[in-house]
Structure formats: C-alpha cells, structure tokens
Amino acid sequence: MKESEYNDEYTGDISVSAIEGKVTFSEFFDSHYLYNVKLPNLVDKWINTFSKFNYRTVEIIFSTFTTFQENTDAFCNYIPTFLLANGSWKEASEKPLEASLSLTYTLNQKQFNLKMDDFHNGDVTGVSFYGSFPYKLGDNTTVEKVNSINKLLGNWQEDLKIYKDIVNKKFLGLN
C-alpha cells in the first residue's frame, strides 16, 4: 500500500493522509483555542464531496503528551509506579520498568479507548495519552451514512470533554 500525505500549506496544522481504504485527517490545536479548530469543516467538505465512498467507520482521536518537569524521579515510570499494584513482577527487570496500558471504557453507549505510554528522553520523563472514539456506520444508505458522519463531527467537542475529564481528572489529578 502506498501512503501519501498532504500538509495544509496555509495553516501548517492540518494533515491528510490516505492509505488504501483509509483516510486520516489530523489537526494540532491548543485546547484553549477550540473556537479556531478547522478540521470538522474540512472533513464535512470531504464527506459531502466524496459522499459515494463506502464509509464504514469514523474514529475521533485525541492525544496528549505530558512531561513531569518537577521532581522527575517521583514520576519516573508513571504507569508501573502510580497506576499498577505493587508486586514481585516489578522487580524482574534490571532497569526501571517502562509500561504501556490500554483501557476500554463504555460511556453514554459509546466506546472510548485510552492508551498510555511511559516515555523517557534524557532528563525528561512523562506519559503520552492517546484516546479514540470509534464509530461503526453500518449498512445504511449513502445519505444516511453522510448524515451520521456529519452528526458525529458535530459532537466532537463532547468526545474531547470526555477525553479531557478522564485524562486530566482521573489520571493526572488536574481540575
């Protein structure tokens, strides 16, 4: 499969990549500037222009990269140190454990997948969070699929709120 990528020249924060059977739209944005998010409008134009495609799923994805600048040693290996129960399994490694954790939540009759990865780069330690909301479109007509996609795109801020509430409040202890 050949992959191609297009980066929006006038904003620099939107990318579109296409692989056979899959199109991915990405936008980097600061959550303080949600009023300026351009991606839902771009995807809406794409869906309406290419409405005849056999869309099967829509996945809305968010990610956060959190570093622990203060007292780095205290947060080193966040997942095994703070999220997992103590046990002799932690002592089997010659170096401090690095971990990944994947969770699947069911919220408001939808699925939310959350993946966390510890990272270390020199003196910087932290954790990355990657959350996705997959939606299956079923065997509806083309018009029904386009309407479903547009409705999902219209509710992306609700998904972002769920993501932020779980990551910030439940895992990072932020308000």
Side-chain angles (χ1 to χ4, degrees), residues 3-61:
E3 181 177 354
S4 61
E5 186 162 328
Y6 165 78
N7 286 319
D8 189 310
E9 294 297 325
Y10 52 90
T11 62
D13 55 0
I14 292 177
S15 69
V16 180
S17 64
I19 300 174
E20 185 178 331
K22 181 179 181 178
V23 178
T24 303
F25 299 87
S26 304
E27 179 175 9
F28 174 81
F29 63 91
D30 184 327
S31 63
H32 294 89
Y33 300 101
L34 292 179
Y35 63 88
N36 201 22
V37 174
K38 299 170 186 73
L39 196 58
N41 291 333
L42 175 67
V43 175
D44 180 61
K45 288 178 185 177
W46 172 279
I47 296 301
N48 288 308
T49 302
F50 299 106
S51 61
K52 301 287 186 214
F53 286 178
N54 185 18
Y55 298 105
R56 295 184 188 130
T57 61
V58 170
E59 189 170 18
I60 299 174
I61 301 170

Side-chain angles (χ1 to χ4, degrees), residues 10-121:
Y10 52 90
T11 62
D13 55 0
I14 292 177
S15 69
V16 180
S17 64
I19 300 174
E20 185 178 331
K22 181 179 181 178
V23 178
T24 303
F25 299 87
S26 304
E27 179 175 9
F28 174 81
F29 63 91
D30 184 327
S31 63
H32 294 89
Y33 300 101
L34 292 179
Y35 63 88
N36 201 22
V37 174
K38 299 170 186 73
L39 196 58
N41 291 333
L42 175 67
V43 175
D44 180 61
K45 288 178 185 177
W46 172 279
I47 296 301
N48 288 308
T49 302
F50 299 106
S51 61
K52 301 287 186 214
F53 286 178
N54 185 18
Y55 298 105
R56 295 184 188 130
T57 61
V58 170
E59 189 170 18
I60 299 174
I61 301 170
F62 303 101
S63 64
T64 307
F65 184 74
T66 302
T67 58
F68 303 117
Q69 304 282 334
E70 296 178 22
N71 198 0
T72 306
D73 292 338
F75 290 102
C76 191
N77 309 93
Y78 175 80
I79 295 169
T81 303
F82 291 99
L83 299 182
L84 301 177
N86 284 326
S88 60
W89 61 271
K90 289 184 179 180
E91 300 164 7
S93 179
E94 294 174 3
K95 293 183 178 182
L97 286 175
E98 293 183 29
S100 292
L101 181 63
S102 294
L103 304 169
T104 299
Y105 294 85
T106 302
L107 307 162
N108 301 327
Q109 299 179 327
K110 61 180 158 185
Q111 183 177 327
F112 170 54
N113 302 312
L114 182 63
K115 184 172 189 287
M116 293 168 268
D117 292 304
D118 276 332
F119 71 86
H120 309 277
N121 186 1

